[in-house]
Each structure stands twice: as C-alpha cells, then as structure tokens.
Amino acid sequence: MDLKLFEDLIALARTQSFVRAAELRHVTHPAFGRRIRALEAWAGAPLVERNRTPVQLTAEGEVLLKTAERTVESVTQARTQLQQHGGAADTRVRLGTGRTLARTLAADWLARLTYMPRSPIRGKAQIEILTGATQDLAVQLEQGKVDLLCCYEHRALSIPINGHRYRHLTLAHEKLVPVSIADAQGEPRFALGHTERAAPLISYGQTLAMGRLLSDHFERNGAPISLTPFVRCDSADAIYEFVRKGLGVAWLPWSMVASDCRRKTMAVLGGRSDEVPFEVRLYRARARQSDMLEAIWAATESHR
C-alpha cells in the first residue's frame, strides 16, 4: 500500500474538501478522487461520505485515519532518526504560518531567537517559511512537511491537532482592534458610536482566520450600528493599506498597527468590549525532532 494514499486520507479529513485536499497534495481533483477510491478498494470498505458537505469520513474511514496518522508519523520520525544517525546534522527548520503572522508575531519570535545570548539559530540554522491556510499547514505538520506550525487559537478557529501527538507553546496574546486613520491632532476620522455619518467598514473574506474571528465577535456582541459595509478583502496587508488611506474602519491585529497608533497616524476606536482577543501558538510533534528544532523549542520555552 502506497504511503501517499494515507497522506491523501489525512489531507481529506483535515480539509473536508476534495478540491482543497487535491490542491494541497499537488494533484488534479479527478486524480485525487481516483487515489481515494484506490484506498477504499484496498481497505475493502467505503471511507468517505460523498453526499455530505463538508466531506465527512465514514466510521471505517475514521478507523483507518488513526492508523494513517500513526503510520505517517512513525515513518517521519524514523527518517529523522536515520538522518541524525548518519552524522549529517539537520540545520533546516520548516515553519508553517499565515501570511500576516509571517510579517508580525512570527517575525518577532525569530528576531528574539536570533538576537538572544547564545542564539540557537544565528549562523547555525536554515529557516524555511511556508505560508498558507492554517488547516492546510496542519495537514503538512502531520505529514512531516513542516516542523513547526505558528497559528491563531480561538474558539472560532480551533483546528483538530491531536494533543497526544503534538504539543504547543503560547507565543503571544494578540487581539484585533478597530482602527481608523487619524487627523493632524491624532483624533480618529471615523467613530463606532452613534454618529450622523456612518463609518465605512473594511472587512475580511471568510476564508481568512481573521474574518472568522470578526464574524464570531459580531455574532456574539452585535456589529456597531454605525458601520456600513464598504470593502471586503482577502488580504490583511491590503486592508491595512486601505485604513492608512482613510477608506474606513477595520479590525486589525494590534501587532500590525501598534506603531501607527503610537505615532498617532492611526487611532483605536471604541473600548475593550470592541476588541477580539486570541492566542498565537507554536505547535510541534511530541516525538524527538532534530537537534536544531529541539534547541529552538527549548530556547522559546525558556524565554517566553
């Protein structure tokens, strides 16, 4: 049985979509469907409930998924041990994270590691950063294609990472804050309260983690009535630029706008009840990894 079919099943279970799983596995949708059917033929049982959206595994599929996860993890661990036994020190560390985190809190974390005394990475490590959707990166973590996963954690975002096989550290406590461009006196151009003029809302596409965070916040607390939908975008970096150009109000990560707010080129609106708090976590496999990754983990754990 080809190991890649187990990896296909893991990808399908995590993404709950044949299309997204095929993209993640770098094959066409029809080819991916044929591979899942080949796995079903090998198993002698249907593994997928194809008439449900999102895609769900059958009871037999869930049983085989557990075996697939253990098998892929064991093979990945064995490869790491063989590389270490061969005497070639593996200095490469692959970090999977989102595009916004890559330029904010993940960058801050790497900077701390680089400039701390007895840095485990300065002049020693090769850091490879891969950005993408959290669910896709979680699959790659399980498949051993990334060594670390840096992602958001919130009730609206939680991803199914097995706590028995993976461990995590909290890198930071972050929050989305409503912001507006500021005038020459440092006062916000727009407001969230009852005003005669509605404020334009710049919001996220629902494919983004921050879009789901904000939707959850509005569902639980209600959206400010003074906001009128104006722009929706699937890039936090673009939304930041729209706010800087005075196009409206947006909820942006504090790590992205803190320096602008201190310079009074942007202003935070509302109060604490308008903020959306969440964590930023770093995940890794519990099994022993390369010496470099273990040194990075130890340094991160001791300097939080």
PDB file of all heavy atoms in Angstrom, residues 65-94:
ATOM      1  N   LEU A  65      -8.116   6.360   9.448  1.00  0.00           N
ATOM      2  CA  LEU A  65      -7.414   7.638   9.634  1.00  0.00           C
ATOM      3  C   LEU A  65      -6.444   7.559  10.811  1.00  0.00           C
ATOM      4  O   LEU A  65      -5.308   8.044  10.718  1.00  0.00           O
ATOM      5  CB  LEU A  65      -8.432   8.765   9.856  1.00  0.00           C
ATOM      6  CG  LEU A  65      -7.838  10.144  10.171  1.00  0.00           C
ATOM      7  CD1 LEU A  65      -7.033  10.671   8.985  1.00  0.00           C
ATOM      8  CD2 LEU A  65      -8.959  11.124  10.541  1.00  0.00           C
ATOM      9  N   LYS A  66      -6.881   6.956  11.900  1.00  0.00           N
ATOM     10  CA  LYS A  66      -5.997   6.828  13.071  1.00  0.00           C
ATOM     11  C   LYS A  66      -4.740   6.031  12.718  1.00  0.00           C
ATOM     12  O   LYS A  66      -3.618   6.383  13.103  1.00  0.00           O
ATOM     13  CB  LYS A  66      -6.745   6.173  14.234  1.00  0.00           C
ATOM     14  CG  LYS A  66      -7.856   7.031  14.831  1.00  0.00           C
ATOM     15  CD  LYS A  66      -8.494   6.340  16.014  1.00  0.00           C
ATOM     16  CE  LYS A  66      -9.504   7.241  16.717  1.00  0.00           C
ATOM     17  NZ  LYS A  66     -10.631   7.614  15.870  1.00  0.00           N
ATOM     18  N   THR A  67      -4.931   4.953  11.956  1.00  0.00           N
ATOM     19  CA  THR A  67      -3.776   4.155  11.522  1.00  0.00           C
ATOM     20  C   THR A  67      -2.883   4.958  10.584  1.00  0.00           C
ATOM     21  O   THR A  67      -1.651   4.917  10.687  1.00  0.00           O
ATOM     22  CB  THR A  67      -4.254   2.877  10.816  1.00  0.00           C
ATOM     23  OG1 THR A  67      -5.020   2.095  11.739  1.00  0.00           O
ATOM     24  CG2 THR A  67      -3.084   2.051  10.311  1.00  0.00           C
ATOM     25  N   ALA A  68      -3.500   5.708   9.666  1.00  0.00           N
ATOM     26  CA  ALA A  68      -2.739   6.515   8.716  1.00  0.00           C
ATOM     27  C   ALA A  68      -1.888   7.547   9.453  1.00  0.00           C
ATOM     28  O   ALA A  68      -0.712   7.744   9.130  1.00  0.00           O
ATOM     29  CB  ALA A  68      -3.689   7.203   7.738  1.00  0.00           C
ATOM     30  N   GLU A  69      -2.475   8.216  10.446  1.00  0.00           N
ATOM     31  CA  GLU A  69      -1.741   9.237  11.197  1.00  0.00           C
ATOM     32  C   GLU A  69      -0.550   8.627  11.927  1.00  0.00           C
ATOM     33  O   GLU A  69       0.551   9.177  11.904  1.00  0.00           O
ATOM     34  CB  GLU A  69      -2.680   9.927  12.187  1.00  0.00           C
ATOM     35  CG  GLU A  69      -3.718  10.818  11.521  1.00  0.00           C
ATOM     36  CD  GLU A  69      -4.746  11.354  12.502  1.00  0.00           C
ATOM     37  OE1 GLU A  69      -4.939  10.721  13.572  1.00  0.00           O
ATOM     38  OE2 GLU A  69      -5.364  12.380  12.207  1.00  0.00           O
ATOM     39  N   ARG A  70      -0.777   7.481  12.569  1.00  0.00           N
ATOM     40  CA  ARG A  70       0.316   6.827  13.301  1.00  0.00           C
ATOM     41  C   ARG A  70       1.414   6.374  12.346  1.00  0.00           C
ATOM     42  O   ARG A  70       2.606   6.494  12.640  1.00  0.00           O
ATOM     43  CB  ARG A  70      -0.215   5.636  14.102  1.00  0.00           C
ATOM     44  CG  ARG A  70      -1.063   6.020  15.300  1.00  0.00           C
ATOM     45  CD  ARG A  70      -1.246   4.823  16.234  1.00  0.00           C
ATOM     46  NE  ARG A  70      -1.912   3.713  15.576  1.00  0.00           N
ATOM     47  CZ  ARG A  70      -3.233   3.521  15.584  1.00  0.00           C
ATOM     48  NH1 ARG A  70      -4.028   4.381  16.213  1.00  0.00           N
ATOM     49  NH2 ARG A  70      -3.766   2.477  14.971  1.00  0.00           N
ATOM     50  N   THR A  71       1.010   5.838  11.194  1.00  0.00           N
ATOM     51  CA  THR A  71       1.992   5.324  10.234  1.00  0.00           C
ATOM     52  C   THR A  71       2.852   6.445   9.657  1.00  0.00           C
ATOM     53  O   THR A  71       4.085   6.345   9.612  1.00  0.00           O
ATOM     54  CB  THR A  71       1.273   4.577   9.093  1.00  0.00           C
ATOM     55  OG1 THR A  71       0.496   3.506   9.642  1.00  0.00           O
ATOM     56  CG2 THR A  71       2.273   4.019   8.101  1.00  0.00           C
ATOM     57  N   VAL A  72       2.203   7.520   9.217  1.00  0.00           N
ATOM     58  CA  VAL A  72       2.942   8.647   8.640  1.00  0.00           C
ATOM     59  C   VAL A  72       3.874   9.253   9.683  1.00  0.00           C
ATOM     60  O   VAL A  72       5.027   9.587   9.391  1.00  0.00           O
ATOM     61  CB  VAL A  72       1.965   9.710   8.086  1.00  0.00           C
ATOM     62  CG1 VAL A  72       2.711  10.984   7.702  1.00  0.00           C
ATOM     63  CG2 VAL A  72       1.209   9.161   6.882  1.00  0.00           C
ATOM     64  N   GLU A  73       3.387   9.383  10.915  1.00  0.00           N
ATOM     65  CA  GLU A  73       4.233   9.931  11.976  1.00  0.00           C
ATOM     66  C   GLU A  73       5.437   9.031  12.246  1.00  0.00           C
ATOM     67  O   GLU A  73       6.567   9.513  12.413  1.00  0.00           O
ATOM     68  CB  GLU A  73       3.421  10.100  13.264  1.00  0.00           C
ATOM     69  CG  GLU A  73       4.239  10.691  14.407  1.00  0.00           C
ATOM     70  CD  GLU A  73       3.444  10.755  15.714  1.00  0.00           C
ATOM     71  OE1 GLU A  73       2.441  10.034  15.822  1.00  0.00           O
ATOM     72  OE2 GLU A  73       3.846  11.503  16.608  1.00  0.00           O
ATOM     73  N   SER A  74       5.222   7.722  12.275  1.00  0.00           N
ATOM     74  CA  SER A  74       6.316   6.780  12.549  1.00  0.00           C
ATOM     75  C   SER A  74       7.373   6.834  11.455  1.00  0.00           C
ATOM     76  O   SER A  74       8.577   6.823  11.732  1.00  0.00           O
ATOM     77  CB  SER A  74       5.772   5.358  12.678  1.00  0.00           C
ATOM     78  OG  SER A  74       4.906   5.247  13.789  1.00  0.00           O
ATOM     79  N   VAL A  75       6.935   6.897  10.202  1.00  0.00           N
ATOM     80  CA  VAL A  75       7.879   6.959   9.086  1.00  0.00           C
ATOM     81  C   VAL A  75       8.672   8.262   9.133  1.00  0.00           C
ATOM     82  O   VAL A  75       9.895   8.279   8.924  1.00  0.00           O
ATOM     83  CB  VAL A  75       7.134   6.819   7.744  1.00  0.00           C
ATOM     84  CG1 VAL A  75       8.065   7.112   6.570  1.00  0.00           C
ATOM     85  CG2 VAL A  75       6.549   5.420   7.608  1.00  0.00           C
ATOM     86  N   THR A  76       7.993   9.369   9.428  1.00  0.00           N
ATOM     87  CA  THR A  76       8.667  10.665   9.519  1.00  0.00           C
ATOM     88  C   THR A  76       9.696  10.666  10.632  1.00  0.00           C
ATOM     89  O   THR A  76      10.827  11.142  10.470  1.00  0.00           O
ATOM     90  CB  THR A  76       7.638  11.781   9.751  1.00  0.00           C
ATOM     91  OG1 THR A  76       6.697  11.800   8.675  1.00  0.00           O
ATOM     92  CG2 THR A  76       8.317  13.143   9.840  1.00  0.00           C
ATOM     93  N   GLN A  77       9.310  10.093  11.784  1.00  0.00           N
ATOM     94  CA  GLN A  77      10.235  10.036  12.917  1.00  0.00           C
ATOM     95  C   GLN A  77      11.441   9.153  12.594  1.00  0.00           C
ATOM     96  O   GLN A  77      12.586   9.485  12.934  1.00  0.00           O
ATOM     97  CB  GLN A  77       9.509   9.515  14.153  1.00  0.00           C
ATOM     98  CG  GLN A  77      10.359   9.547  15.412  1.00  0.00           C
ATOM     99  CD  GLN A  77       9.580   9.072  16.628  1.00  0.00           C
ATOM    100  OE1 GLN A  77       8.380   8.813  16.546  1.00  0.00           O
ATOM    101  NE2 GLN A  77      10.250   8.950  17.752  1.00  0.00           N
ATOM    102  N   ALA A  78      11.201   8.021  11.931  1.00  0.00           N
ATOM    103  CA  ALA A  78      12.301   7.126  11.572  1.00  0.00           C
ATOM    104  C   ALA A  78      13.274   7.814  10.633  1.00  0.00           C
ATOM    105  O   ALA A  78      14.497   7.673  10.765  1.00  0.00           O
ATOM    106  CB  ALA A  78      11.742   5.856  10.930  1.00  0.00           C
ATOM    107  N   ARG A  79      12.754   8.594   9.691  1.00  0.00           N
ATOM    108  CA  ARG A  79      13.621   9.303   8.755  1.00  0.00           C
ATOM    109  C   ARG A  79      14.494  10.314   9.503  1.00  0.00           C
ATOM    110  O   ARG A  79      15.699  10.426   9.232  1.00  0.00           O
ATOM    111  CB  ARG A  79      12.769  10.025   7.711  1.00  0.00           C
ATOM    112  CG  ARG A  79      13.589  10.780   6.661  1.00  0.00           C
ATOM    113  CD  ARG A  79      12.674  11.415   5.628  1.00  0.00           C
ATOM    114  NE  ARG A  79      11.718  12.303   6.261  1.00  0.00           N
ATOM    115  CZ  ARG A  79      10.612  12.749   5.676  1.00  0.00           C
ATOM    116  NH1 ARG A  79      10.310  12.353   4.460  1.00  0.00           N
ATOM    117  NH2 ARG A  79       9.800  13.560   6.313  1.00  0.00           N
ATOM    118  N   THR A  80      13.902  11.020  10.464  1.00  0.00           N
ATOM    119  CA  THR A  80      14.671  11.985  11.260  1.00  0.00           C
ATOM    120  C   THR A  80      15.782  11.286  12.027  1.00  0.00           C
ATOM    121  O   THR A  80      16.934  11.750  12.062  1.00  0.00           O
ATOM    122  CB  THR A  80      13.740  12.724  12.239  1.00  0.00           C
ATOM    123  OG1 THR A  80      12.745  13.432  11.498  1.00  0.00           O
ATOM    124  CG2 THR A  80      14.520  13.711  13.095  1.00  0.00           C
ATOM    125  N   GLN A  81      15.468  10.142  12.628  1.00  0.00           N
ATOM    126  CA  GLN A  81      16.470   9.398  13.404  1.00  0.00           C
ATOM    127  C   GLN A  81      17.598   8.885  12.510  1.00  0.00           C
ATOM    128  O   GLN A  81      18.772   8.922  12.893  1.00  0.00           O
ATOM    129  CB  GLN A  81      15.802   8.250  14.138  1.00  0.00           C
ATOM    130  CG  GLN A  81      14.869   8.707  15.258  1.00  0.00           C
ATOM    131  CD  GLN A  81      14.088   7.560  15.868  1.00  0.00           C
ATOM    132  OE1 GLN A  81      14.004   6.470  15.296  1.00  0.00           O
ATOM    133  NE2 GLN A  81      13.497   7.797  17.027  1.00  0.00           N
ATOM    134  N   LEU A  82      17.244   8.414  11.319  1.00  0.00           N
ATOM    135  CA  LEU A  82      18.263   7.917  10.395  1.00  0.00           C
ATOM    136  C   LEU A  82      19.194   9.044   9.948  1.00  0.00           C
ATOM    137  O   LEU A  82      20.403   8.860   9.824  1.00  0.00           O
ATOM    138  CB  LEU A  82      17.593   7.275   9.183  1.00  0.00           C
ATOM    139  CG  LEU A  82      16.943   5.902   9.428  1.00  0.00           C
ATOM    140  CD1 LEU A  82      16.123   5.494   8.216  1.00  0.00           C
ATOM    141  CD2 LEU A  82      18.000   4.858   9.746  1.00  0.00           C
ATOM    142  N   GLN A  83      18.618  10.226   9.706  1.00  0.00           N
ATOM    143  CA  GLN A  83      19.443  11.362   9.299  1.00  0.00           C
ATOM    144  C   GLN A  83      20.424  11.749  10.395  1.00  0.00           C
ATOM    145  O   GLN A  83      21.587  12.036  10.145  1.00  0.00           O
ATOM    146  CB  GLN A  83      18.549  12.547   8.934  1.00  0.00           C
ATOM    147  CG  GLN A  83      17.779  12.351   7.628  1.00  0.00           C
ATOM    148  CD  GLN A  83      16.743  13.433   7.404  1.00  0.00           C
ATOM    149  OE1 GLN A  83      16.370  14.162   8.320  1.00  0.00           O
ATOM    150  NE2 GLN A  83      16.275  13.538   6.170  1.00  0.00           N
ATOM    151  N   GLN A  84      19.944  11.717  11.642  1.00  0.00           N
ATOM    152  CA  GLN A  84      20.821  12.052  12.765  1.00  0.00           C
ATOM    153  C   GLN A  84      21.881  10.982  12.961  1.00  0.00           C
ATOM    154  O   GLN A  84      23.052  11.273  13.213  1.00  0.00           O
ATOM    155  CB  GLN A  84      19.990  12.217  14.044  1.00  0.00           C
ATOM    156  CG  GLN A  84      19.068  13.435  14.011  1.00  0.00           C
ATOM    157  CD  GLN A  84      18.188  13.513  15.239  1.00  0.00           C
ATOM    158  OE1 GLN A  84      17.985  12.528  15.941  1.00  0.00           O
ATOM    159  NE2 GLN A  84      17.655  14.687  15.507  1.00  0.00           N
ATOM    160  N   HIS A  85      21.491   9.728  12.819  1.00  0.00           N
ATOM    161  CA  HIS A  85      22.431   8.619  12.985  1.00  0.00           C
ATOM    162  C   HIS A  85      23.515   8.661  11.916  1.00  0.00           C
ATOM    163  O   HIS A  85      24.659   8.269  12.145  1.00  0.00           O
ATOM    164  CB  HIS A  85      21.684   7.288  12.925  1.00  0.00           C
ATOM    165  CG  HIS A  85      22.568   6.095  13.164  1.00  0.00           C
ATOM    166  ND1 HIS A  85      23.095   5.786  14.401  1.00  0.00           N
ATOM    167  CD2 HIS A  85      23.049   5.149  12.308  1.00  0.00           C
ATOM    168  CE1 HIS A  85      23.846   4.703  14.305  1.00  0.00           C
ATOM    169  NE2 HIS A  85      23.828   4.286  13.047  1.00  0.00           N
ATOM    170  N   GLY A  86      23.159   9.168  10.739  1.00  0.00           N
ATOM    171  CA  GLY A  86      24.132   9.230   9.651  1.00  0.00           C
ATOM    172  C   GLY A  86      25.180  10.297   9.846  1.00  0.00           C
ATOM    173  O   GLY A  86      26.111  10.397   9.054  1.00  0.00           O
ATOM    174  N   GLY A  87      25.031  11.097  10.888  1.00  0.00           N
ATOM    175  CA  GLY A  87      26.059  12.082  11.217  1.00  0.00           C
ATOM    176  C   GLY A  87      25.895  13.418  10.538  1.00  0.00           C
ATOM    177  O   GLY A  87      26.640  14.349  10.802  1.00  0.00           O
ATOM    178  N   ALA A  88      24.933  13.553   9.652  1.00  0.00           N
ATOM    179  CA  ALA A  88      24.703  14.831   8.986  1.00  0.00           C
ATOM    180  C   ALA A  88      23.711  15.634   9.813  1.00  0.00           C
ATOM    181  O   ALA A  88      22.536  15.295   9.867  1.00  0.00           O
ATOM    182  CB  ALA A  88      24.156  14.606   7.575  1.00  0.00           C
ATOM    183  N   ALA A  89      24.195  16.652  10.502  1.00  0.00           N
ATOM    184  CA  ALA A  89      23.329  17.471  11.342  1.00  0.00           C
ATOM    185  C   ALA A  89      22.319  18.204  10.466  1.00  0.00           C
ATOM    186  O   ALA A  89      22.695  18.873   9.498  1.00  0.00           O
ATOM    187  CB  ALA A  89      24.163  18.459  12.138  1.00  0.00           C
ATOM    188  N   ASP A  90      21.041  18.065  10.796  1.00  0.00           N
ATOM    189  CA  ASP A  90      19.990  18.722  10.027  1.00  0.00           C
ATOM    190  C   ASP A  90      19.755  20.107  10.627  1.00  0.00           C
ATOM    191  O   ASP A  90      19.204  20.235  11.718  1.00  0.00           O
ATOM    192  CB  ASP A  90      18.706  17.887  10.077  1.00  0.00           C
ATOM    193  CG  ASP A  90      17.644  18.419   9.128  1.00  0.00           C
ATOM    194  OD1 ASP A  90      17.902  19.445   8.463  1.00  0.00           O
ATOM    195  OD2 ASP A  90      16.562  17.825   9.063  1.00  0.00           O
ATOM    196  N   THR A  91      20.199  21.144   9.934  1.00  0.00           N
ATOM    197  CA  THR A  91      20.065  22.507  10.446  1.00  0.00           C
ATOM    198  C   THR A  91      18.850  23.222   9.856  1.00  0.00           C
ATOM    199  O   THR A  91      18.612  24.376  10.181  1.00  0.00           O
ATOM    200  CB  THR A  91      21.330  23.328  10.127  1.00  0.00           C
ATOM    201  OG1 THR A  91      21.503  23.379   8.706  1.00  0.00           O
ATOM    202  CG2 THR A  91      22.556  22.699  10.778  1.00  0.00           C
ATOM    203  N   ARG A  92      18.109  22.540   8.987  1.00  0.00           N
ATOM    204  CA  ARG A  92      16.947  23.166   8.370  1.00  0.00           C
ATOM    205  C   ARG A  92      15.726  22.995   9.266  1.00  0.00           C
ATOM    206  O   ARG A  92      15.460  21.915   9.782  1.00  0.00           O
ATOM    207  CB  ARG A  92      16.665  22.532   7.008  1.00  0.00           C
ATOM    208  CG  ARG A  92      15.517  23.213   6.256  1.00  0.00           C
ATOM    209  CD  ARG A  92      15.247  22.546   4.930  1.00  0.00           C
ATOM    210  NE  ARG A  92      14.827  21.167   5.087  1.00  0.00           N
ATOM    211  CZ  ARG A  92      14.038  20.512   4.227  1.00  0.00           C
ATOM    212  NH1 ARG A  92      13.617  21.126   3.134  1.00  0.00           N
ATOM    213  NH2 ARG A  92      13.721  19.253   4.421  1.00  0.00           N
ATOM    214  N   VAL A  93      14.977  24.078   9.455  1.00  0.00           N
ATOM    215  CA  VAL A  93      13.723  24.038  10.195  1.00  0.00           C
ATOM    216  C   VAL A  93      12.653  24.691   9.331  1.00  0.00           C
ATOM    217  O   VAL A  93      12.820  25.832   8.875  1.00  0.00           O
ATOM    218  CB  VAL A  93      13.831  24.762  11.553  1.00  0.00           C
ATOM    219  CG1 VAL A  93      12.473  24.824  12.233  1.00  0.00           C
ATOM    220  CG2 VAL A  93      14.829  24.046  12.449  1.00  0.00           C
ATOM    221  N   ARG A  94      11.567  23.980   9.101  1.00  0.00           N
ATOM    222  CA  ARG A  94      10.492  24.470   8.246  1.00  0.00           C
ATOM    223  C   ARG A  94       9.334  24.952   9.116  1.00  0.00           C
ATOM    224  O   ARG A  94       8.767  24.178   9.892  1.00  0.00           O
ATOM    225  CB  ARG A  94      10.034  23.363   7.300  1.00  0.00           C
ATOM    226  CG  ARG A  94      11.134  22.850   6.367  1.00  0.00           C
ATOM    227  CD  ARG A  94      10.799  21.489   5.798  1.00  0.00           C
ATOM    228  NE  ARG A  94      10.652  20.494   6.862  1.00  0.00           N
ATOM    229  CZ  ARG A  94      10.279  19.238   6.664  1.00  0.00           C
ATOM    230  NH1 ARG A  94      10.023  18.809   5.434  1.00  0.00           N
ATOM    231  NH2 ARG A  94      10.170  18.398   7.678  1.00  0.00           N
TER     232      ARG A  94
END
